[in-house]
């Protein structure tokens, strides 16, 4: 396990995109199963009030900083994380790795047909990529066993679940052993982007760390979720002020 940096109660692995891929490659040969979480500010804030989410993050094999907010927070607290690792970038990079190394991939999530469309596009983009199964993400508790069984039968090495946050993390963590997949990871709306049903922010917005605002413009209903961002900033400033007090007193 790499060194974890604690941000408001959530431990983040100090990795960049490439070292995250190396860690995940190692997991393929280590005893598993492994849950990889790409955690953003919303997840950090949820973990503060939801003990089960806190537990999921604490037990995850790898937690990467998904977004500019977490990296900003880490710098404010004087324990800088090396880089943000956007979930979609990590997922794409893992597809390339999977194609090269022969890992079998399973796509779960999205409306009817999304996982299949994503699969077709990915196979065109990464020749040799082995996708052993696809399934939609709108199923009720009654269908849970069937979904887990379908994944087991396909015996993938890597499972991407795009069931939305935080359902996907709860779903994966609760079925980690039953699924029997070496590495599982929540990918949010990534399958929609791969399927061509949603678009990522233009490159410049991504580089400037403004991808969240682009999503907000396209999906204004996200405003309630994104209220976590100013709340996170407020708590970070408080934490920084608190941490600074003893230092000032000592001097
Ligand atoms: N989704 C799903 N099942 C659900 C709810 C959502 O498969 O019960 C899918 C949805 O179709 C979308 C993805 O989850 O493809 C991401 O949803 P959202 O934008 O809420 O998540 P985020 O990317 O912010 O994690």
């Amino acid at each position: 396990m790499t060194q974890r940096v604690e941000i408001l109660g959530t431990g983040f692995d100090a990795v960049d995109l490439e070292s995250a891929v190396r860690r995940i490659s190692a997991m393929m040969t280590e005893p598993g199963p492994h849950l990889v979480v790409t955690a953003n500010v919303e997840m950090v804030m949820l973990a503060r009030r939801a003990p089960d989410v806190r537990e999921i993050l604490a037990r995850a094999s790898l937690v990467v900083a998904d977004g500019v907010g977490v990296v900003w927070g880490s710098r404010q607290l004087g324990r800088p994380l090396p880089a943000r690792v956007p979930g979609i970038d990590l997922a794409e990079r893992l597809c390339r790795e999977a194609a090269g190394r022969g890992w079998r991939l399973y796509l779960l999530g999205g409306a009817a047909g999304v996982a299949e469309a994503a699969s077709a596009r990915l196979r065109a983009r990464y020749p040799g990529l082995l996708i052993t199964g696809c399934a939609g993400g709108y199923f009720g508790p009654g269908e849970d066993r069937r979904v887990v069984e379908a994944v087991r039968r396909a015996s993938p090495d890597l499972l991407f679940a795009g069931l939305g946050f935080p359902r996907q993390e709860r779903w994966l963590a609760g079925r980690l052993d039953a699924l029997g997949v070496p590495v599982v990871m929540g990918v949010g709306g990534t399958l929609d982007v791969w399927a061509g049903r949603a678009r990522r922010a233009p490159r410049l917005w991504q580089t400037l760390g403004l991808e969240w605002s682009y999503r907000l413009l396209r999906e204004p209903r996200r405003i309630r979720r994104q209220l976590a961002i100013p709340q996170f900033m407020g708590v970070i400033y408080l934490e920084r002020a608190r941490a600074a007090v003893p230092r000032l007193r000592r001097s």
Side-chain angles (χ1 to χ4, degrees), residues 130-248:
L130 227 69
I131 299 183
T132 58
C134 295
Y138 290 86
F139 53 88
E143 292 167 288
D144 210 85
R145 282 255 304 270
R146 180 185 56 76
V147 175
V148 170
E149 210 31 60
V151 174
R152 273 192 87 89
R153 266 201 311 276
S155 71
D157 301 297
L158 180 60
L159 164 66
F160 288 153
L163 306 174
F165 147 91
R167 182 183 170 212
Q168 59 198 15
E169 280 75 23
R170 286 189 165 124
W171 194 87
L172 290 170
R175 288 148 193 83
L176 209 49
D177 289 323
L179 288 163
V181 180
V183 180
V184 303
M185 176 172 130
V187 294
T190 296
L191 300 183
D192 290 319
V193 175
W194 286 341
R197 303 214 183 168
R199 281 180 43 195
R200 279 193 84 174
R203 185 74 63 183
L204 180 65
W205 292 47
Q206 293 178 34
T207 313
L208 294 175
L210 291 173
E211 197 156 14
W212 60 273
S213 60
Y214 183 82
R215 283 199 81 177
L216 184 59
L217 282 176
R218 296 186 75 95
E219 301 169 60
R221 68 185 164 83
R222 295 180 77 88
I223 187 72
R224 275 193 46 200
R225 285 179 45 172
Q226 294 199 344
L227 285 177
I229 297 171
Q231 286 166 6
F232 173 84
M233 291 174 74
V235 186
I236 288 279
Y237 283 131
L238 277 176
E239 177 98 358
R240 199 178 68 170
R242 232 195 342 252
V245 173
R247 272 209 301 276
L248 288 176

